[in-house]
Amino acid sequence: MDRVSSLPDGVLCHILSFLPTKQAALTSVLSKSWLNLWKLVPNLDIDDSEFLHPEEGKGERDEIRQSFVDFVDRVLALQGDSPVKKFSLKSITCVHPDHVNRWISTVLQRGVSDLTLFIDFSYEDIEEGYYLPEEMFVSRTLVELKIRSERYVDWWRRDRGGRDRGTVLPMLKTLDIDSQFIHCGEMERFLPSFPVLEKLRMANMEWIQSDETVSSASLKELSIHGTGCEGFRNPKSISFDTPSLLSFNYSDLVAEDYPLVNMKALFEARINFIVTENQIKRVRAPNDDWLEDDEGDVILRFGNVVKLMNGIQNVQKLYLTADTFEVLSLCCESVPLFNNLKTLGITSEEGRGWQAMPVLLRKCPYIEFLLVEGLLHYVTDKCGDACDCIFREDKGRSLTSCPVKKLEIRGFRGTIKEMTMIKHFLVYFPCLKEINIYVEENDPTELRFPEVSKVINQIMEEYNKFSSCNVQLLVTDYLFEKWTAKGRVL
Ligand SMILES: *[C@@H]1O[C@H](CO)[C@@H](O)[C@H](O)[C@H]1NC(C)=O
């Protein structure tokens, strides 16, 4: 302790700023000279679970909740006006929103730049909804803001008459909102409140209008987890005017149109179209006579996702989910060439088809790395030229022109069907040098039977012998939580 105590105050403050506030406060009992030091610590990290231990039911007891409120009030009061850089508050055991908002207002007034809130309230306390404090919407110091809540968060600032009062956060670079539901108004009016925003993540957002544009010149990372328009409806039209965007993570109901997609700088994209089973059926049989109903019309317009694909065509890394793959089957002949693309990742599901696979591989003329999560998929008459689900004359045709060097297979279950697909890849991908196969971790696989894993290993060995490609089977070493090669010696 003495060696530590002899350090200059500035350094001690810096050290203390890495401790949770409760522990930093405890240091004051150690030595007199520490007493007032921690009060100047610019980073506050307050977590109610350290006080209330909700798992033990203590949070139910009002006096303990009150002692938490008193502690936070005391810390903030003792610190006076000294500046706060970082404030992290976890308050999920039903402290009243008035207390929480008072603390948030205080640190905002003290110039906080990095604010992380993980807040939850009891239903009785927020019957009328939870409103963030006024200071939140006009801070000139906030650079990073993260809000997580299990409840509805209303972002929009209104006066008592419900009139829009606008928001200006001129310094905000990162905004990350993850809540049960976020109300942030229309994108056209929301985003201009953050003129220098670089990183935006919105989980569980709902589009207010069925026709919206995400427009920002500064945005570099955008992650949207949308739930369509109100009532889980497909939006009519979504546009992106984000010329500086580097990374795009988009998970949402398919919009009927993507009129403008400006993402020329894009490096990496993850696309997850959320579709219903019914929509999938219609995607597979576009010529059936269901066209009269509304949903039929909607599906016909799903082909407009090609405009989204055109907009992201400069990417080097592209990840698509199984549902996205099905939707793309409506338009894959017209998707552009992905001339910069080096990495393609796809997720498969047994109920979803690979119809888009053959064309997509041909549209990636410089692909080096193919990542496939799950080999098993729904058999259709169209995937045949990429896999060997059904017999075709031109079996493997789309693979023979594909320059992929490395293949990674995740979620391997040890079935013969998967083994024949791996062989198919070995035979038809002409440049393949390496296949890494990761065994499914969660579900029990065939490999848990010693006889099966013996056979699989023999086949792997053969694959290694007959091709110049290095085939490795990897299983998790749970003890060390890392993957180890068990290829030829399982
Ligand atoms: C992309 O967004 C989804 C949710 O929509 C999330 O689960 C995933 O972790 C995100 N991926 C990355 C790399 O950010």
Side-chain angles (χ1 to χ4, degrees), residues 223-225 249 251 268 270:
S223 183
I224 289 179
H225 188 165
N249 186 359
S251 172
E268 183 174 311
R270 292 170 193 270

Coordinates of all heavy atoms in Angstrom, one line a residue, residues 223-225 249 251 268 270, ligand 1:
S223 N -25.7 -0.5 -37.6 CA -26.3 -1.8 -37.2 C -27.7 -1.6 -36.9 O -28.1 -0.9 -35.9 CB -25.5 -2.4 -36.1 OG -26.0 -3.7 -35.8
I224 N -28.6 -2.2 -37.7 CA -30.0 -2.0 -37.5 C -30.6 -3.4 -37.3 O -30.4 -4.3 -38.0 CB -30.7 -1.4 -38.7 CG1 -30.3 0.1 -38.8 CG2 -32.2 -1.5 -38.7 CD1 -30.9 0.8 -40.0
H225 N -31.3 -3.5 -36.2 CA -32.1 -4.7 -36.0 C -33.6 -4.2 -35.9 O -34.1 -3.8 -34.9 CB -31.7 -5.4 -34.7 CG -32.4 -6.7 -34.5 ND1 -32.0 -7.7 -33.6 CD2 -33.4 -7.3 -35.2 CE1 -32.7 -8.8 -33.7 NE2 -33.6 -8.5 -34.7
N249 N -24.7 -3.7 -40.8 CA -25.3 -4.9 -40.2 C -26.8 -4.7 -40.2 O -27.3 -4.0 -39.4 CB -24.8 -5.2 -38.8 CG -25.2 -6.5 -38.2 OD1 -25.9 -7.3 -38.8 ND2 -24.8 -6.8 -37.0
S251 N -30.6 -6.2 -40.2 CA -31.5 -7.4 -39.9 C -32.9 -6.8 -39.8 O -33.2 -6.0 -38.9 CB -31.1 -8.0 -38.6 OG -32.0 -9.0 -38.3
E268 N -17.8 -4.2 -45.3 CA -18.3 -5.4 -44.8 C -19.8 -5.2 -44.6 O -20.3 -4.2 -44.1 CB -17.7 -5.6 -43.4 CG -18.1 -6.9 -42.7 CD -17.3 -7.1 -41.4 OE1 -16.1 -7.0 -41.4 OE2 -18.0 -7.3 -40.4
R270 N -23.5 -7.5 -43.4 CA -24.2 -8.6 -42.9 C -25.7 -8.4 -43.2 O -26.2 -7.4 -42.7 CB -24.0 -8.8 -41.4 CG -22.7 -9.2 -41.0 CD -22.4 -9.1 -39.5 NE -21.0 -9.2 -39.4 CZ -20.3 -10.3 -39.2 NH1 -20.9 -11.5 -39.2 NH2 -19.0 -10.3 -39.2
Ligands
LIG1 C1 -25.3 -8.0 -36.3 O1 -26.6 -7.8 -35.7 C2 -27.2 -8.9 -35.1 C3 -28.6 -8.5 -34.6 O2 -29.3 -7.9 -35.6 C4 -26.3 -9.3 -33.9 O3 -26.9 -10.5 -33.3 C5 -24.9 -9.6 -34.4 O4 -24.1 -9.9 -33.3 C6 -24.4 -8.4 -35.2 N1 -23.1 -8.7 -35.7 C7 -22.0 -7.9 -35.7 C8 -20.8 -8.5 -36.2 O5 -22.1 -6.8 -35.2

